[in-house]
Every structure is written in structure tokens, then in C-alpha cells.
């Protein structure tokens, strides 16, 4: 057995780093927010190198790839505050693929991933109602909705763009995330196995994006405190500022590590505990990292002209995208109460399967 | 700083299972009072039994009584011991840092004399570093070793030396010349050396493990000098890396947490369960970090910065654990309570501030981390 967890393909990681560093500058992010629309040319360039199709099966129009590859994609895209709904698109394409609905060309939006909010039910082959906060819905070819049918079965419904209207709404990070108004038109529906596995996978990728943002906060801040001088020396030379830079290094380090371990567990077909635990840890350190990065930057970090806000505002959005971290913490707590001992739970190998109750 | 995620191999999980089975028999619940991690009392019998099982001095060379095992193997054993609040006090320092340091820097004579006793659990070490005027500023130590024929004469004082009263040896740092860093040399001092007086200092909870050491014209033969004259600072830094990145830095409150997690209040309340979940999730995270660092050690790296980074955050976490358990306890725990869990909490509330001080204060660690990250210039992100 290999002691190391699965790693993303090295060439792919290099491609991702290069692509996002080159194509997604703070100016590009700023311009996308001002226009309140999907940056079409950025999307086209991402498509040209197949980025939106990483991790989707080839027979479903994707280019294949491991869980670690997709985790790396979300990490690197988020670390540049990429103004494309790549996370949502990937999850929509995954739903379409897992439900055996083949593939849909173009950008996809997704709905129904929050365990707390019920998406509209599929009744009589049609879907009616409103779904709030659907990133990319205005420009998407379709929305993939994870929901139930009249018999209570989990289904994926693919709603084409012609079958819904959008009412504009904007997230705290400036991303358009309109309300989708379903008009009961044409629908493709199929049942899907293991809804919990899809939600666990979505949660893992959300955590990876957050870890990418935290890493970017660490990089940006350590660069800033080395270059900004006050009292005749770099502000990073002061112990009072080092508290913040150390907090950031810790947050970045632990967040990336727990995501990698959780990804390994998911790749083994497990990961209930690991993903929930990673989610709690990443949420806590995201909050610490935002506070530390802003405090270390001072006033300039509060301005729109400086790119710190592009990262910290995205952290606010991602932190509670599909649920509250307090509920996840409670879930981990309940798991711990059912485990033979806390220490055994903490030291367990993901191959050991579900927690004995 | 990117830590490489890693899990236990099949052979390592077998070791974990062996350790658990053995401890189930050797330390059944009720047969001992669970302690707060590495602050556990000394139980020489337990240490000898552990040594006989091959679980002390695991990484030491086989020819000196060790077992040639890995840092990860040791982590597995230590994790199980601390999870149960086992009485590890007698062998703790020797097993964690003195043994590896002597294996790395010692003479053949020293290795033959000392290492088998560490691996068998017969020998107990403590650390003679701090002095009344040298705490965080360790390079300012003044206890002086003067060269004489065949050896050295030592005068001065060490303080805040945990466990010295039951130690057979003190691994000490003495000044051998005026150069701040290169004027320091380490010595292995047998605790019964004439001229050395060990006196307890009462600790905040009334225990007497904390000690001060007085050296008055203490003669020590040159064969007990560890490493070259003047190389004490560097060796000491290497030792601190062994001291900082391990599971012991987040497991101090573990036995407290295990008891707390079985209480009805936790079972019943959603907000208390969320507090427990927040704690357990971070235990899992820190365990992953300690494991990654142990792998780095086994791969021949020296993860000094990583170890400092983990210790700084993990020890704050341990304190938060105590704070959460104390808050939910609902009243001030009493040190003389009948319930051993309440007594343990009363101890934890008092001693927890020491966790961010011992082995390098968090303030010093932040400097170590900052310098380490700056030197790398962002490499490995």
C-alpha cells in the first residue's frame, strides 16, 4: 500500500498554474465584476485548453482526470479569484454524467446542492418554481438541478436555457448569481444514485477552492509586509505583524493538507468523516485568514483598487455556499460521540469504512 | 509551506493495532489515573514494560539497543499512549529527544553507555537549558564549564527543569567560552554527580516535578561532553525540532476530552456537539500535520520550521480545548473532588498556560517560523 495519498498530475498542475496566472489578472477580475456578466473571452480561452472538462468522463464529453486533478483545478482557479463559475459548472457536468444524461455543450449552472434547501420537485415531467443564487445561470446553456421526483427518488433534471428566465442578483464577491424562474418547459430527467456522495464531492471541491483562496491570501500578504516600510523597516519585521503572517502560513498549510487527505479518502470511496472534518477546519481557518490578511495590510486592503478584496470577498461567499459550518461541526461532533473513542476516530485510516455505531 | 498528505501503511496499521491491544491489557481503565499528555507522572515500571515491548528508543540504532524503526512508528506508539493519558513521565524526554540527540552527536562510548538504557526504559532524562536569567534568550546562558585536567568544572544554576528529581541524567547546555552561540557546549550529566543539587520548585497546581539545579564546583569527565566544544547551540536547535512537531503538542487535553465526550450534556445539546466537532476536526487536522512532519524526518529532511509552525497553533488549540470543557462544566472544578475527571479538569485549568510556554514560547516560535519562511522565499507553496 502506498503511504502517500494520490497527487494531481504534475503537468496538469503546471498548466493550471500558468493559465490562471497569465489569464486571470486582478484587472480581468475587476472588469468582470464591473460588467456584471460572464467574461466570455476568458471562458473561451479556458475551453481552448479543456479546463472546464477536467474530471468529466471522456464518454460524457470530458477529458477525464482524477479527483486530485479536479481538487487542483479548484484550488488554482480560486487562488486567482477567477471570475468563472468553474466549481458550479464542474458539479453540473458531474451530475449530468452520473445521471446518465450524456453531456451538454457549453457552460452549465447547478442547483439543489444545499442539503438544507429543497429544489422544486419534478412533477409530471416538469419543473416549476424559483431557485435562488444560481451562479452563471444567465449565460449557461442549461441548469442541472439535483432534486426529487414525485416518488421521492433522487433525480437530476436538466433545464435548457430556453425553459427558464433569470432575475438578476449579485453575490457579495460581485459574481452574478440570479434567481432562476422555471417556466415548466422542456426537461431531461434521470434518476441518480447516491446523492450523499455527490454532496460530499461538492463539499470537497468547495473546500479546495477555499484552501486556494487562503493560500493566495498568505502569498499576497507575505509579499506585502516584506515590501511595505513603516518606521524605517518592512512592517513584516515587527513581531506584532508576524502574528498575522504566521496565522496565514498556518491557515494555508493546514487547509491544503486537510483537503488533500479528504480527497484521498473520497478517492478510496469513503470520506464522510474526512470531508466533514476538513470542511470545519477550512472554514475556521478561512475566517482567521481573512482577518489576519486585512489586519496585516491595513487601509490599502480595504480599497477596491488593491486585489486583497477580490480574495477575501470570495472567501465570504464560499464559506457558507451550501450550508453552515456550525451544522457541519455538529455533524462531526455526533460522529465523534458514536465512535469508540475520539483518538481512534482521529487516527483512523479512510479504508476502515464507516464509523462503527 | 505545503505539507505532503500521507496515511499509514498496512504495516504501520498493524503496529497501531498491536499497541492498542497491549495497552488494553497493561493499562485497563480504572487501573491508573489518566494524565494530561506528556505532563504525565513517572512510572518506571510502566516505562520498563514499554521498553521490553520494543516501543522506546524505536529509532535508535539496533547495535545500541534501539530498534532501527521510523519516526512514524514512534508517532503511532506515542499517539496511543497519550490518547490514554498513560504514565509516560519517566521515559518521555529520553525517548523523544535525548536518545536521538545522543545517537546523532554522541561518541561510541556515550552511545554504548546510554542508548541501551533509554531503549529499555531504565534511564530517565531531563533538559538543563533554562537559567534564572536565560529563558527565551537561551543563547545567554551563563552556567560555566571550565576546562581542567581530564574534564570540566561546572558552576551555575539551571531552572524550570521538569522531572529532574526522577531523572538519571540531565542533558545540559553550558557556557565554555564567551562567544554567544559558539561558546556553548552540551554535556550528559549523571544526576548523582557530586556538586549537583536538585531541588523541586512547587508548580502552580502544587505538584513538585519542576526543579532547579545548582552546580557548585561539579566535576564532570570530558567523556560526557556531547559533541564538539562549541557545537551545543546547533545540537540544541536540532533537538528542539524533535521536541516540537509531534503529536504531544496537540494531545495534552485528550484524556480530558475523552471523558467529556461521554457526558450526557454533550450528547444532548446541538451547540455542545458542535464544539466537540470543532475540536475533533482540528485533532484530525493536527494529526495529519504531525504525520506529514514525521514522514519528512524519515525522508532525511529537517522540518524545523514546520515543527515550530505546528507547535505554535497546536498548543493554542490545546488550551482552547480546556477552555471549552471548563465552560461547559458549569462551575469551577475542584482539585479535591471525588470524581477523577473533575480533578483532572481542575489541574488542566491551572497548568494549561504552560503549554504555550514549554519547549519555546509562542512568541519565540513565531520568530523561528518567520525566519524559516523568509529563508525559503516561498519555495514549496
Amino acid at each position: 500500500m502506498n503511504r502517500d495519498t494520490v497527487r494531481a498530475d504534475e503537468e496538469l498542475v503546471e498548466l493550471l498554474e500558468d493559465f490562471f496566472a497569465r489569464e486571470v489578472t486582478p484587472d480581468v477580475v475587476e472588469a468582470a465584476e464591473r460588467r456584471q456578466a460572464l467574461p466570455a473571452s476568458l471562458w473561451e480561452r479556458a475551453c481552448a485548453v479543456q479546463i472546464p472538462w477536467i474530471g468529466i468522463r471522456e464518454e460524457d464529453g470530458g477529458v477525464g482526470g482524477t479527483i486530485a486533478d479536479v481538487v487542483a483545478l479548484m484550488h488554482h482557479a480560486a487562488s486567482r479569484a477567477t471570475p468563472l463559475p468553474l466549481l458550479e459548472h464542474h458539479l453540473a457536468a458531474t451530475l449530468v454524467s452520473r445521471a446518465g444524461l450524456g453531456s451538454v455543450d457549453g457552460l452549465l449552472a447547478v442547483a439543489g446542492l444545499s442539503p438544507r434547501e429543497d429544489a422544486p420537485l419534478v412533477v409530471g415531467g416538469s419543473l416549476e418554481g424559483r431557485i435562488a443564487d444560481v451562479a452563471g445561470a444567465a449565460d449557461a446553456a442549461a441548469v442541472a438541478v439535483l432534486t426529487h421526483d414525485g416518488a421521492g427518488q433522487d433525480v437530476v433534471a436538466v433545464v435548457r436555457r430556453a425553459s427558464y428566465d433569470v432575475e438578476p442578483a449579485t453575490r457579495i464577491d460581485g459574481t452574478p448569481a440570479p434567481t432562476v424562474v422555471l417556466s415548466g418547459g422542456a426537461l431531461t430527467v434521470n434518476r441518480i444514485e447516491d446523492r450523499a456522495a455527490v454532496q460530499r464531492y461538492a463539499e470537497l471541491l468547495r473546500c479546495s477552492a477555499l484552501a486556494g483562496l487562503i493560500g493566495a491570501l498568505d502569498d499576497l500578504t507575505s509579499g506585502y509586509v516584506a515590501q511595505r516600510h513603516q518606521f524605517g523597516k518592512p512592517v513584516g519585521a515587527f513581531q506584532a505583524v508576524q502574528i498575522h503572517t504566521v496565522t496565514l502560513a498556518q491557515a494555508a498549510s493546514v487547509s491544503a493538507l486537510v483537503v488533500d487527505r479528504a480527497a484521498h479518502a473520497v478517492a478510496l470511496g469513503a470520506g464522510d468523516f474526512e470531508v466533514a472534518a476538513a470542511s470545519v477546519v477550512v472554514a475556521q481557518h478561512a475566517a482567521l485568514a481573512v482577518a489576519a490578511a486585512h489586519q496585516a495590510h491595513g487601509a490599502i486592503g480595504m480599497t477596491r483598487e488593491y486585489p486583497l478584496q477580490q480574495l477575501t470577498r470570495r472567501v465570504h461567499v464560499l464559506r457558507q455556499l451550501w450550508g453552515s459550518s456550525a451544522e457541519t461541526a455538529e455533524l462531526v461532533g455526533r460522529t465523534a460521540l458514536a465512535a469508540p473513542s475520539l483518538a481512534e476516530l482521529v487516527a483512523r485510516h479512510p479504508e476502515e469504512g464507516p464509523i462503527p455505531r | 509551506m505545503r505539507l505532503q498528505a500521507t496515511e499509514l501503511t498496512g504495516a504501520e496499521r498493524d503496529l497501531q493495532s498491536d499497541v492498542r491491544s497491549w495497552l488494553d491489557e497493561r493499562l485497563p481503565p480504572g487501573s491508573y489515573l489518566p494524565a494530561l499528555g506528556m505532563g504525565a507522572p513517572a512510572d518506571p515500571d510502566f516505562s520498563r514494560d514499554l521498553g521490553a515491548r520494543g516501543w522506546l528508543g524505536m529509532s535508535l540504532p539496533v547495535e545500541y539497543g534501539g530498534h532501527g524503526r521510523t519516526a512514524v512508528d514512534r508517532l503511532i506508539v506515542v499517539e496511543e499512549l497519550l490518547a490514554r493519558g498513560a504514565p509516560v513521565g519517566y521515559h518521555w524526554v529520553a525517548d523523544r529527544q535525548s536518545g536521538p540527540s545522543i545517537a546523532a552527536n554522541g561518541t561510541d562510548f556515550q552511545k554504548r553507555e546510554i542508548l541501551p538504557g533509554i531503549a529499555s526504559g531504565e534511564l530517565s532524562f531531563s533538559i538543563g537549558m533554562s537559567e534564572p536569567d536565560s529563558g527565551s534568550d537561551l543563547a545567554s546562558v551563563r552556567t560555566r564549564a571550565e576546562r581542567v585536567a581530564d574534564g570540566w568544572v561546572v558552576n551555575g544554576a539551571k531552572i524550570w527543569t521538569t522531572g529532574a528529581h526522577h531523572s538519571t541524567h540531565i542533558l545540559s547546555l553550558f557556557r565554555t567560552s564567551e562567544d554567544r552561540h559558539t561558546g556553548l557546549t552540551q554535556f550528559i550529566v549523571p544526576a548523582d554527580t557530586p556538586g549537583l543539587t536538585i531541588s523541586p520548585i512547587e508548580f502552580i497546581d502544587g505538584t513538585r516535578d519542576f526543579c532547579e539545579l545548582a552546580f557548585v564546583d561539579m566535576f564532570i569527565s570530558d567523556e560526557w561532553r556531547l559533541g564538539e566544544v562549541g557545537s551545543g547551540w546547533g545540537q540544541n536547535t536540532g533537538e528542539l525540532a524533535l521536541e516540537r512537531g509531534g503529536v504531544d503538542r496537540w494531545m495534552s487535553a485528550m484524556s480530558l476530552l475523552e471523558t467529556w465526550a461521554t457526558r450526557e450534556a454533550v450528547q444532548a445539546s446541538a451547540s455542545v456537539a458542535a464544539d466537540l466537532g470543532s475540536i475533533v476536526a482540528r485533532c484530525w487536522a493536527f494529526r495529519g500535520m504531525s504525520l506529514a512532519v514525521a514522514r519528512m524526518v524519515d525522508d532525511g529532511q529537517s522540518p524545523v520550521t514546520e515543527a515550530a509552525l505546528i507547535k505554535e497553533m497546536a498548543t493554542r488549540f490545546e488550551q482552547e480545548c480546556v477552555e471549552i470543557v471548563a465552560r461547559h462544566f458549569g462551575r469551577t472544578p475542584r482539585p479535591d473532588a471525588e470524581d477523577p475527571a473533575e480533578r483532572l479538569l481542575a489541574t488542566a485549568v491551572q497548568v494549561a498556560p504552560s503549554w504555550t510556554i514549554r519547549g519555546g514560547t509562542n512568541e519565540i516560535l513565531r520568530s523561528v517560523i518567520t525566519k524559516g519562511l523568509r529563508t525559503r522565499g516561498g519555495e514549496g507553496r
Side-chain angles (χ1 to χ4, degrees), chain A residues 1-7 17 75-76 215 218-219 222 236-237 239 242-243 245-247 249-254 256-262 264 273-278 280-281 284-285 326 328-334 336-337 340-352, chain B residues 1-10 12-13 16 20 79-80 83 250-251 254 257-258 261-263 266-271 273-289 291-292 295 298-299 308-310 312-313 316 363-367 369-370 373-374 381:
Chain A
M1 188 189 322
N2 197 334
R3 59 181 220 187
D4 288 330
T5 58
V6 279
R7 289 203 222 193
E17 279 175 352
H75 183 101
H76 290 290
D218 178 27
D219 289 344
S222 59
Q239 285 220 347
Q242 287 170 10
I243 289 189
T245 49
V246 167
T247 297
Q250 290 168 332
S253 186
V254 73
L257 181 72
V258 296
V259 167
D260 287 348
R261 290 185 76 208
H264 179 61
F273 168 71
E274 289 82 358
V275 171
V280 170
V281 170
Q284 286 175 350
H285 288 93
T328 314
E330 190 196 333
L331 175 76
V332 175
R334 300 264 171 229
L337 288 171
S341 77
L342 303 184
E344 268 192 53
L345 176 62
V346 166
R348 81 192 261 290
H349 193 282
E351 276 177 2
E352 285 170 39
Chain B
M1 175 190 327
R2 191 87 192 231
L3 292 170
Q4 173 63 39
T6 177
E7 301 290 344
L8 299 185
T9 64
E12 288 163 350
R13 284 159 68 189
Q16 183 184 54
R20 284 179 183 166
E79 177 174 46
E80 295 303 322
W250 54 268
M251 291 189 79
M254 213 63 206
L257 295 171
E258 296 282 9
T262 60
R263 282 175 192 267
V266 185
Q267 311 257 4
S269 152
S271 74
D275 277 347
L276 176 63
S278 157
I279 287 172
V280 169
R282 281 180 286 171
C283 283
W284 174 76
F286 284 126
R287 200 262 187 175
M289 295 180 104
L291 191 54
R295 287 271 188 241
D298 288 337
D299 289 341
L309 180 137
I310 295 169
E312 200 278 338
M313 67 194 298
R316 284 187 287 114
E363 288 69 21
I364 289 296
L365 292 175
R366 284 185 211 120
S367 294
I369 298 163
T370 302
L373 292 175
R374 201 182 289 148
R381 281 176 197 263

Side-chain angles (χ1 to χ4, degrees), chain A residues 166-228:
Chain A
V166 293
E167 289 173 3
T170 310
R171 286 179 177 170
I172 213 172
D173 62 355
T175 310
T179 297
V180 167
V181 182
L182 301 157
S183 49
L187 208 59
T188 323
V189 183
N190 216 350
R191 290 189 174 174
I192 184 166
E193 301 295 319
D194 206 355
R195 179 192 187 105
V198 175
Q199 279 169 330
R200 190 168 60 220
Y201 180 60
E203 185 62 6
L204 171 69
L205 297 184
R206 186 188 67 85
C207 289
S208 181
L210 264 178
L213 284 167
I214 297 168
L217 289 173
D218 178 27
D219 289 344
L220 187 64
T221 307
S222 59
Y224 180 77
V225 301
Q227 152 248 308
R228 168 78 170 167

